[in-house]
């Protein structure tokens, strides 16, 4: 039986599969940090760069004023909590570097809240996109 995602199947050693996750997280205290177009655009660019560096494919990316939605596909099995750890840590570092005035709001250097949301995506990707 062939997988619906056959064109997306990746080989890794002796594993073939398709690993897709829906990830969400928000800034600390739910501040609406991404109302400004420049900060939102920089956040999107940083997340795209991180995904490219890690060899992940971003299927959907929505940076809302107070949270981030992301649907990501990996070529090899990855722990989604480690994916979130890397995305949140690296993006915070890059955003603080590009926008030093954000340090006025987050003096201790913690941009993202500790909580997050993660769900693996099955065959029906359209449900997740909605």
């Amino acid at each position: 039986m062939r997988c619906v995602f056959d064109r997306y199947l990746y080989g890794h050693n002796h594993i073939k599969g398709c690993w897709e996750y829906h990830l969400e997280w928000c800034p600390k205290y739910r501040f609406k940090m991404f109302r400004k177009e420049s900060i939102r655009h920089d956040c999107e660019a940083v997340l795209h760069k991180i995904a490219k560096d890690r060899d992940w494919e971003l299927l959907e990316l929505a940076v809302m004023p107070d949270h981030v939605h992301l649907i990501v596909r990996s070529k090899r099995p990855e722990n989604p909590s480690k994916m979130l750890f890397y995305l949140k840590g690296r993006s915070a570092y890059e955003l603080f570097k590009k926008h030093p005035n954000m340090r006025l709001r987050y003096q201790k250097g913690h941009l993202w809240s500790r909580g997050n949301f993660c769900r693996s995506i099955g065959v029906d990707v359209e449900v997740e996109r909605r």
Side-chain angles (χ1 to χ4, degrees):
M1 180 176 190
R2 295 188 66 94
C3 178
V4 175
F5 296 109
D6 201 31
R7 66 178 176 261
Y8 303 120
L9 287 179
Y10 301 107
H12 179 69
N13 296 337
H14 299 286
I15 301 171
K16 273 204 175 253
C18 181
W19 295 274
E20 296 177 343
Y21 300 102
H22 177 199
L23 309 173
E24 289 183 35
W25 66 93
C26 62
K28 199 157 187 111
Y29 314 117
R30 268 295 196 189
F31 288 145
K32 297 186 186 322
M33 290 303 296
F34 304 109
R35 282 185 294 184
K36 289 178 88 174
E37 189 69 30
S38 63
I39 297 176
R40 184 173 59 220
H41 178 67
D42 287 341
C43 183
E44 290 173 357
V46 165
L47 291 172
H48 277 289
K49 183 182 181 313
I50 293 168
K52 184 179 176 194
D53 291 347
R54 301 293 290 182
D55 202 21
W56 298 331
E57 182 182 351
L58 294 185
L59 301 177
E60 296 286 327
L61 172 62
V63 178
M64 310 305 270
D66 65 343
H67 64 284
V68 176
H69 287 274
L70 188 71
I71 296 180
V72 63
R73 178 183 292 144
S74 176
K75 292 185 178 183
R76 59 191 165 280
E78 301 252 5
N79 185 346
S81 67
K82 288 192 178 186
M83 292 172 88
L84 277 162
F85 175 78
Y86 194 77
L87 286 164
K88 288 168 71 173
R90 183 72 185 266
S91 62
Y93 175 78
E94 295 291 333
L95 286 172
F96 280 135
K97 198 162 67 169
K98 286 185 179 185
H99 299 277
N101 60 342
M102 288 175 62
R103 292 258 183 214
L104 299 174
R105 175 73 58 138
Y106 298 105
Q107 295 176 358
K108 293 185 180 180
H110 300 285
L111 173 63
W112 304 113
S113 68
R114 292 183 353 170
N116 54 54
F117 170 79
C118 175
R119 176 174 34 199
S120 63
I121 298 176
V123 176
D124 197 7
V125 178
E126 290 305 317
V127 172
E128 295 297 326
R129 286 189 174 148
R130 278 188 261 128

